[in-house]
Structure formats: C-alpha cells, structure tokens
Amino acid sequence: MKWKGRNDLVDFILDNKWLFLILAEIIFWVSTLSFLVVRYWFNLNKLSVAFFILFILNDLWIATMGYFDYLKTGKFSAYQIIILIVIAYAFLYGKSDFQKLDGFIQRKAAKWRGLPEPEFTASKPLYGMAHAKQERRNLYKHFLVFFAVQGLFLLMFGLSDAVSNIQLNTLFEEWYEKTNTDLFYQNDTANNITRIWALILAIDIVISLSYTVAPKKEKKTSHSAL
C-alpha cells in the first residue's frame, strides 16, 4: 500500500503537470518578493539563507517533475524542454535579475519608510577571462554545496548495498532509467534528490565551462554621428 500510494501521488502530479509547474513558479516569485519585503522592511538580513534554500528546492522540484515525466512517457516533450529552459535561465540570468529586483525593492522600502534612498555602487560587467573566472568560482560553490549535502545524506542514511555492486557500464541505466533506484543511499528521497541535482549540476558545469572555451565578449555600442 505504501508503494501504491506513492505511485498514485506521482501519477496525480504528472497528470496535472502544467498546473504544478505554474504553481511552482508562482510560489517561487511570491516567496521571493515576500523575502525581499521582510528583509528590507523588518531588516531581517539573515533570511537570505532561507531564500538560497528555497531557490535550490524550487529548481529540484521543477527538475524532478520533468524527469519523472520523461520516465512516464519515454520521450522528450515540450514540457521537458520548457523545464530545461527554466533551469538554464536560473543559472545564466537568475542571479543578475535577482540583484536588480533586490535593488528595486530596497529603494521602494526605503521610500515607504521615509528613509533616504540607498546608494548602489554600480558593478562593472565582466567579460572575457575575468567573466569565465567568475563563472568557475560560482561553479566551485555549487560543487561545495552539492558535496556537503551528499556528506549529510551519508551521515543520515548510510550507503546502500547496491554501491558495492556498481558497474560503470550500467551505472547510467541503474541511476536514471528506473523510477526507483538503490543508488546511493538507504533512502529513496535522498536518492531521487541526488540524481536530479546531479543533472542540474551537469548543466551548470557545461554552461560555466563554456565561457572558458568561448569567453563572453563585450557588446560594441554604435555612436551616432553628431
């Protein structure tokens, strides 16, 4: 009954996948705006940690829906492509767009509270190898968080017996082509989080290192003749 109940829940979510995808985005943006208001109206700056956790969980939830939809249908669809676009956007532009939104809310909160408008130091956009270095630095942080969570899973659940029987030629099939997997921990939730997060990490690796191979170039602005 336990497994049947879980499968029924997954089927219900996938049958209403578009609704859950829209709901996930609504929750993300409402939570983001609420976080910024609480941060600048009530001066609770430490809540930034909660936002980071929310960002990770939101992406994991969206990616999980896309992955299980692929397992159910056995083929790529527009739904999964949209999810990949959402994840790619989060890694490419999410940080810079959030900084813009952060500044906007900070100015509005100061105006509502009758305080002087905060001054922002305009950061100069990075290009070339300087930008590539920044992307690699962000990637290293992603690695650090990923492996820190894996260490936590290891302490909480321990490794499963399937780890001792890993074969490289069937690892991908065992890990990704089955609805449930015994790799790598003695907990199904931890295993599903790990394999979905590993896909997101792989996307981040490709995007981040692409700037080392093909550095970002500064856009040339044309000046009209006086």
Side-chain angles (χ1 to χ4, degrees):
M1 293 297 295
K2 178 181 179 181
W3 285 99
K4 186 177 185 301
R6 178 184 299 179
N7 291 333
D8 288 344
L9 177 61
V10 172
D11 288 339
F12 174 77
I13 292 174
L14 295 180
D15 288 341
N16 299 276
K17 57 188 179 183
W18 288 105
L19 176 62
F20 277 98
L21 180 60
I22 295 172
L23 182 62
E25 286 301 300
I26 292 175
I27 292 175
F28 173 77
W29 286 110
V30 170
S31 299
T32 300
L33 290 173
S34 299
F35 160 78
L36 291 172
V37 171
V38 169
R39 179 184 183 187
Y40 294 119
W41 187 264
F42 297 102
N43 295 321
L44 300 175
N45 295 334
K46 292 184 178 180
L47 283 180
S48 58
V49 177
F51 172 76
F52 178 75
I53 295 174
L54 175 63
F55 175 82
I56 294 296
L57 291 178
N58 185 74
D59 276 355
L60 286 174
W61 164 249
I62 293 175
T64 300
M65 288 194 296
Y67 174 65
F68 278 102
D69 183 62
Y70 173 75
L71 286 181
K72 182 178 181 179
T73 62
K75 59 182 180 180
F76 284 103
S77 64
Y79 180 77
Q80 296 153 25
I81 292 174
I82 289 175
I83 286 179
L84 288 175
I85 293 174
V86 169
I87 294 174
Y89 163 80
F91 285 111
L92 285 172
Y93 305 107
K95 181 179 178 180
S96 61
D97 285 351
F98 175 74
Q99 289 174 339
K100 294 176 183 177
L101 181 61
D102 182 277
F104 173 78
I105 296 296
Q106 190 172 350
R107 288 190 294 269
K108 287 296 182 180
K111 182 178 180 180
W112 293 336
R113 298 176 65 187
L115 300 175
E117 184 172 313
E119 296 182 0
F120 298 97
T121 303
S123 56
K124 184 178 180 181
L126 298 177
Y127 300 97
M129 296 312 296
H131 176 260
K133 183 177 180 181
Q134 182 187 58
E135 290 293 326
R136 291 195 301 270
R137 189 182 300 113
N138 292 336
L139 177 61
Y140 300 151
K141 292 178 182 178
H142 193 170
F143 268 115
L144 181 62
V145 174
F146 177 80
F147 286 110
V149 173
Q150 299 311 304
L152 182 62
F153 285 164
L154 179 61
L155 292 174
M156 292 175 62
F157 309 116
L159 293 175
S160 67
D161 295 334
V163 173
S164 60
N165 299 320
I166 290 178
Q167 297 181 2
L168 294 179
N169 59 333
T170 60
L171 176 59
F172 186 85
E173 179 181 355
E174 289 290 329
W175 206 19
Y176 283 111
E177 294 187 3
K178 294 183 178 180
T179 304
N180 297 293
T181 177
D182 293 331
L183 296 175
F184 288 89
Y185 308 104
Q186 300 180 45
N187 182 274
D188 293 330
T189 301
N191 290 332
N192 286 326
I193 289 176
T194 297
R195 60 179 176 176
I196 296 302
W197 196 345
L199 285 176
I200 296 176
L201 181 59
I203 294 173
D204 194 13
I205 291 173
V206 172
I207 293 174
S208 298
L209 296 184
S210 68
Y211 291 108
T212 300
V213 178
K216 181 180 179 181
K217 297 181 179 179
E218 184 175 2
K219 294 181 180 180
K220 296 181 179 180
T221 57
S222 57
H223 299 279
S224 58
L226 296 177

